[in-house]
Amino acid sequence: QVQLVQSGAEVKKPGASVKVSCKASGYTFTGYYMHWVRQAPGQGLEWMGWINPNSGGTNYAQQFQGRVTMTRDTSITTAYMELSRLRSDDTAVYYCARNFPYGSKFLPGDWGQGTLVTVSS
Amino acid sequence: SSELTQDPAVSVALGQTVRITCQGDSLRSYYASWYQQKPGQAPVLVIYDKNNRPSGIPDRFSGSSSGDTASLTITGAQAEDEADYYCNSRDSSGNHLVFGGGTKLTVL
């Protein structure tokens, strides 16, 4: 079965960077886009972008352009999301989500457990 | 701000039918999908591409669309359906994904 296991919680200072990992198993890693979505405390879902694990191509939401970098390591079936120049309002749970097998490439399907990133001085 | 608008909260009596709506210009061009999220859990896809249910999702969940509005209908709501529901679709450019602000469903 599809499993996405994310790295543990992080505490960062404003201005720092954070890199969250997402270890995939149970399917062909290079066959499905991987989305990153975040959720601030008590708030809604916010799409950050996706990476094509096969080519490494990325598509970032406009509000994160210049601050986010999505990468992957196919040898260990792991996707990464790095967010730089952190601010307090980046405090959120960050999710990776495999694109659903049916439908478009804009359809997060199976989700990781989430990684809480806290930005605080 | 979200390009997809949802009512913040909706309530339904146990066993009754409830409709949750999502409005946005991009819905005239692209399908909506719907997610259920319970407290402390990751979202779960319940409807994709307007009215398709992933395996394991009860058939009391259905989707529809008309013009700039997509709807999620729960026919015969159960206590376990109490959750936050989010719609999503492509944005007006067609190049990015956007979520609605979410609707908190209370089952009375």
Side-chain angles (χ1 to χ4, degrees):
Chain A
Q1 73 283 19
V2 174
Q3 275 200 308
L4 300 173
V5 179
Q6 299 183 223
S7 49
E10 303 259 15
V11 179
K12 296 292 183 180
K13 293 194 182 302
S17 298
V18 68
K19 190 171 186 177
V20 179
S21 67
C22 173
K23 167 69 175 176
S25 62
Y27 71 98
T28 302
F29 178 67
T30 52
Y32 301 88
Y33 284 43
M34 188 74 80
H35 300 265
W36 290 89
V37 177
R38 76 176 185 179
Q39 186 170 37
Q43 303 300 309
L45 302 172
E46 183 175 29
W47 183 75
M48 300 180 70
W50 54 238
I51 182 169
N52 177 345
N54 187 44
S55 66
T58 55
N59 180 16
Y60 301 143
Q62 195 158 0
Q63 63 268 37
F64 297 105
Q65 290 272 3
R67 280 210 305 147
V68 71
T69 304
M70 296 178 189
T71 57
R72 90 291 189 220
D73 185 337
T74 57
S75 68
I76 56 171
T77 65
T78 299
Y80 302 92
M81 186 285 300
E82 183 170 21
L83 189 63
S84 63
R85 304 193 300 278
L86 290 169
R87 310 183 294 251
S88 58
D89 62 358
D90 290 318
T91 294
V93 174
Y94 289 76
Y95 293 100
C96 61
R98 183 190 78 148
N99 202 69
F100 192 65
Y102 312 106
S104 77
K105 61 179 181 278
F106 291 90
L107 190 60
D110 302 286
W111 295 62
Q113 85 275 19
T115 295
L116 175 62
V117 175
T118 302
V119 183
S120 174
S121 55
Chain B
S1 64
S2 175
E3 296 183 29
L4 299 178
T5 301
Q6 298 182 238
D7 291 329
V10 171
S11 62
V12 62
L14 185 67
Q16 297 302 300
T17 296
V18 63
R19 176 175 292 181
I20 298 170
T21 61
C22 174
Q23 185 176 24
D25 285 342
S26 65
L27 297 179
R28 297 183 183 278
S29 304
Y30 303 107
Y31 290 137
S33 296
W34 292 90
Y35 296 82
Q36 176 193 71
Q37 187 181 34
K38 297 181 180 180
Q41 297 183 19
V44 173
L45 181 66
V46 295
I47 292 288
Y48 67 97
D49 292 353
K50 190 171 83 173
N51 191 22
N52 294 283
R53 279 178 291 107
S55 174
I57 301 302
D59 61 6
R60 64 178 179 272
F61 289 89
S62 64
S64 62
S65 183
S66 178
D68 69 349
T69 301
S71 300
L72 172 71
T73 301
I74 307 174
T75 304
Q78 303 299 302
E80 62 264 30
D81 299 334
E82 187 163 288
D84 294 327
Y85 290 86
Y86 294 91
C87 62
N88 78 357
S89 185
R90 299 194 202 191
D91 68 2
S92 51
S93 75
N95 295 320
H96 299 135
L97 187 63
V98 62
F99 284 91
T103 297
K104 182 176 182 59
L105 176 66
T106 300
V107 179
L108 303 171

